[in-house]
Amino acid sequence: MMGDKKTGKTGVVLFRNMILLCLTVMLCSGCQGKVTEENRTENVATLRMIVLGNEPEEGMTELYAELDALTIPELGCVLRFEFIPWGNERKQLNIAAISGEYDLMPMGVFSDYSTLVEKNAFLDLNEYLHLVPDMVEHYKYYDEEYLKNSETNGGLYGIPQYGSGALQYTSEGFFYREDLRKEWGLEEITDLETMEAYLYRAKEEPRYQDEALITDNRIWTSLWIVLSEGKYLEVGSTLETPFAVVAAENPNVVLNRLETPEFQEVLEYLKKWKKDGILDDNMLALSDNEGERGRSLMREDRKPCESNAPIWTANNTYIPDLIARNPDWEFGFFLYITANKEQLYASRPVASSRISVSSKTKYPEIAIKLLEKIHTDKRYYDLFLYGVEGVHYHLVDGKVSRAGISGSNKYGINVAGDGLLNSGEVAVNEQWGAVVDRVLAWEEAATREAMISPLDGFVFTPTGLDKVMDAMEKARILYFQPLVCGYYEGEGDIEEAVEELRRKGLDQYLDNIQRSLIEYMENQKGE
């Protein structure tokens, strides 16, 4: 940590006191705003859906009109969206899911999905699959058991995105100004050493000295991907299960991530970067997702890079804005997993991200039929994924183009993607298009060669651990979060964090994961 031990580590203590005072208010604040049901008519149901991200500045009236023209005659409903900006999405999704005010909501690595399943927040959609035979058939394309493999604790608590499988940690990378790398005479960014050289060279530029180059507090997850080199497998995700991993060479034993040498190495980098002004000095006060701020800073040329940008975010959100304003800029992308020196692991074609239906919905049959339409009817899919043609995107030779579309007008429903219905996208320019093609080609080839993860299909549900989970979440914010924001002085700080977490039930939590994992492994052998 930082500060004099005798004075109570002033910065972190003030932070902890502030968090303790406002935590209850923050967790209970609720989602703001109500959806206007301007198109409600007699015998027409109104469904409400959560969308992560900012509401587009234009086109929602047109979007609702086109959507209503489909859903009213075909499903007997209208659908209205509630937008939750990225930042504190996990807390807001928890509130929304428990409230029962929304019929459909996205779930994924950005959420506490397994915890919400345990709290009976979602409907088991297995009971309604007989109503959607076209969707059931559609999901057999990659795997006959696709939907079965998407179950959690024997229930299908959401319809997953549809794709052909993915690598662990896929798509996360370092997005940066390639023209500046060339101007500065730096090596191509292919590993942590060359990435760090770029950061420190950028910090020498007068225009970048007043802003931190890394403004996303998830940077620790990026460093973990690179420094762990494929030696570990996630039991969930770095965000949902930050304390638990297994060694790839011995996946039957759950480990405390904080006690691995690689995690200590992550903290050493963060400590150094904080001291040298690379890391935002105010990171403890930032939200869990600063993507919008990062895009704004890059657009204004106040920083030249973003550390936690999946390739699709860089392509769909950053690039259109940046190139429209600065057509001469060039961009690069370092996919973190390419630094992996060990075996690559992939999932079978079952996505962890999904759209879940509230257990309190009044319209379960309509909700499941709407999900079927999204995944089998191109008219619905295009409205959900791309928006209104001419407002949110253009069609060029049958492919989606966002050239000339402002980033503030970006639209797309989260986790509704379907690999069989995608239209494909036109790159904003040739230089960036070559970067995207190279990244996607590497991912495709690597996925084919990767080993199926022994944890593929394992989902831990914290049954009976509500009080432990709540207590550990407070300890995470007070003791773990400062560490991954650069407030680290040595091993004693890790020991302090682990001790506090253990007081709140860490050992019980890890033991529960261990038992669940053993049971899962035994069931796999029996199949």
Side-chain angles (χ1 to χ4, degrees):
M1 302 289 180
M2 78 176 200
D4 183 12
K5 301 283 184 180
K6 294 182 180 179
T7 61
K9 303 179 181 179
T10 307
V12 174
V13 169
L14 288 174
F15 165 75
R16 290 175 182 163
N17 290 339
M18 175 189 72
I19 289 296
L20 285 171
L21 286 171
C22 71
L23 188 60
T24 301
V25 174
M26 180 173 62
L27 290 175
C28 298
S29 60
C31 299
Q32 300 299 314
K34 297 293 183 182
V35 177
T36 302
E37 300 178 2
E38 64 273 1
N39 287 295
R40 173 182 282 282
T41 60
E42 188 176 357
N43 299 322
V44 174
T46 297
L47 275 67
R48 303 174 70 196
M49 183 175 187
I50 294 290
V51 180
L52 295 179
N54 293 322
E55 182 172 349
E57 290 184 355
E58 301 175 355
M60 289 307 296
T61 300
E62 295 89 335
L63 178 69
Y64 285 140
E66 292 194 20
L67 194 57
D68 290 349
L70 296 176
T71 60
I72 292 175
E74 297 179 8
L75 298 173
C77 76
V78 297
L79 178 68
R80 293 296 178 262
F81 304 130
E82 180 87 7
F83 289 84
I84 294 179
W86 292 102
N88 288 313
E89 65 275 2
R90 286 177 64 206
K91 296 181 181 68
Q92 295 291 355
L93 281 173
N94 288 344
I95 294 166
I98 297 301
S99 75
E101 294 182 11
Y102 303 92
D103 301 275
L104 303 112
M105 61 202 71
M107 288 286 126
V109 296
F110 47 79
S111 70
D112 291 327
Y113 167 71
S114 59
T115 300
L116 291 170
V117 167
E118 173 62 18
K119 292 181 177 180
N120 299 313
F122 307 128
L123 208 62
D124 182 356
L125 298 177
N126 278 324
E127 300 175 21
Y128 301 91
L129 291 182
H130 67 282
L131 299 174
V132 288
D134 289 346
M135 184 176 72
V136 172
E137 189 62 30
H138 179 79
Y139 268 78
K140 293 180 180 179
Y141 182 84
Y142 293 115
D143 188 329
E144 281 283 328
E145 299 296 321
Y146 202 113
L147 291 177
K148 181 67 177 176
N149 292 336
S150 299
E151 292 182 356
T152 302
N153 284 9
L156 182 65
Y157 297 106
I159 297 300
Q161 291 193 90
Y162 195 32
S164 57
L167 297 169
Q168 179 176 243
Y169 307 130
T170 188
S171 295
E172 289 287 337
F174 181 67
F175 175 61
Y176 61 94
R177 290 270 303 278
E178 169 72 358
D179 55 312
L180 292 180
R181 181 194 69 80
K182 293 176 180 177
E183 178 185 323
W184 296 335
L186 299 174
E187 294 182 35
E188 183 178 353
I189 300 178
T190 58
D191 54 25
L192 184 54
E193 182 180 0
T194 48
M195 172 180 159
E196 187 176 49
Y198 183 95
L199 291 168
Y200 276 86
R201 176 60 183 84
K203 201 62 181 173
E204 295 176 8
E205 293 290 311
R207 65 186 184 277
Y208 300 139
Q209 289 178 358
D210 293 335
E211 288 284 353
L213 301 179
I214 295 177
T215 55
D216 196 310
N217 65 26
R218 299 170 300 168
I219 179 60
W220 78 268
T221 66
S222 304
L223 287 170
W224 172 265
I225 294 170
V226 177
L227 293 170
S228 63
E229 299 181 338
K231 297 174 186 174
Y232 301 92
L233 301 174
E234 297 293 335
V235 300
S237 72
T238 51
L239 295 180
E240 190 175 7
T241 51
F243 311 126
V245 291
V246 301
E249 61 182 16
N250 185 15
N252 298 296
V253 179
V254 176
L255 304 174
N256 181 353
R257 191 195 310 263
L258 279 67
E259 295 178 328
T260 64
E262 290 80 10
F263 184 74
Q264 182 175 343
E265 194 174 0
V266 166
L267 298 187
E268 293 289 352
Y269 269 95
L270 295 174
K271 173 186 175 182
K272 177 175 67 170
W273 287 357
K274 183 176 185 301
K275 178 178 69 69
D276 294 338
I278 302 296
L279 218 60
D280 196 314
D281 194 50
N282 198 37
M283 192 166 282
L284 274 175
L286 300 179
S287 70
D288 291 338
N289 188 333
E290 290 287 321
E292 288 299 318
R293 178 183 173 217
R295 179 167 65 93
S296 176
L297 290 172
M298 287 190 72
R299 185 177 61 241
E300 296 166 10
D301 198 16
R302 293 166 62 190
K303 75 169 189 167
C305 56
E306 187 62 272
S307 61
N308 288 79
I311 186 66
W312 51 267
T313 296
N315 189 55
N316 296 337
T317 303
Y318 283 72
I319 283 293
D321 251 12
L322 295 175
I323 289 183
R325 185 162 175 167
N326 305 281
D328 296 331
W329 286 3
E330 296 181 358
F331 297 90
F333 194 86
F334 164 42
L335 187 66
Y336 292 131
I337 198 173
T338 58
N340 193 318
K341 294 182 173 61
E342 302 290 331
Q343 172 71 47
L344 290 171
Y345 291 91
S347 65
R348 287 171 292 187
V350 173
S352 60
S353 299
R354 65 199 74 212
I355 296 177
S356 294
V357 177
S358 171
S359 59
K360 298 178 182 178
T361 183
K362 297 177 181 178
Y363 312 108
E365 295 88 355
I366 296 177
I368 189 73
K369 289 178 181 179
L370 177 61
L371 292 177
E372 179 183 47
K373 288 290 189 181
I374 295 172
H375 286 284
T376 61
D377 190 320
K378 197 74 165 61
R379 299 171 304 160
Y380 285 78
Y381 185 78
D382 286 353
L383 277 175
F384 271 75
L385 266 292
Y386 308 126
V388 177
E389 184 180 355
V391 179
H392 303 116
Y393 72 99
H394 304 293
L395 273 182
V396 178
D397 297 328
K399 293 186 176 182
V400 171
S401 169
R402 293 185 174 85
I405 302 293
S406 169
S408 60
N409 214 29
K410 179 183 180 294
Y411 167 83
I413 299 297
N414 315 98
V415 306
D418 194 303
L420 299 182
L421 295 177
N422 285 335
S423 296
E425 299 199 14
V426 178
V428 173
N429 67 19
E430 186 176 347
Q431 184 271 328
W432 173 249
V435 172
V436 174
D437 288 345
R438 184 168 63 250
V439 170
L440 296 181
W442 185 92
E443 286 188 336
E444 183 178 349
T447 302
R448 288 196 302 268
E449 298 171 2
M451 180 183 297
I452 295 296
S453 169
L455 270 62
D456 180 47
F458 174 72
V459 177
F460 171 64
T461 305
T463 304
L465 293 178
D466 287 1
K467 291 183 179 179
V468 169
M469 296 296 289
D470 289 344
M472 283 179 53
E473 174 62 9
K474 292 176 182 177
R476 181 192 71 81
I477 294 172
L478 297 175
Y479 293 93
F480 176 85
Q481 199 62 21
L483 293 181
V484 297
C485 288
Y487 293 92
Y488 171 71
E489 292 183 349
E491 291 184 47
D493 290 336
I494 299 178
E495 293 170 359
E496 179 188 20
V498 171
E499 181 180 349
E500 289 298 327
L501 285 164
R502 281 186 171 140
R503 286 178 184 152
K504 304 300 183 182
L506 176 63
D507 291 336
Q508 183 182 353
Y509 170 75
L510 295 177
D511 287 345
N512 270 263
I513 296 178
Q514 182 68 70
R515 285 195 295 272
S516 297
L517 182 59
I518 291 174
E519 181 180 350
Y520 174 79
M521 294 293 190
E522 290 176 349
N523 289 338
Q524 292 296 100
K525 291 177 183 178
E527 293 182 357

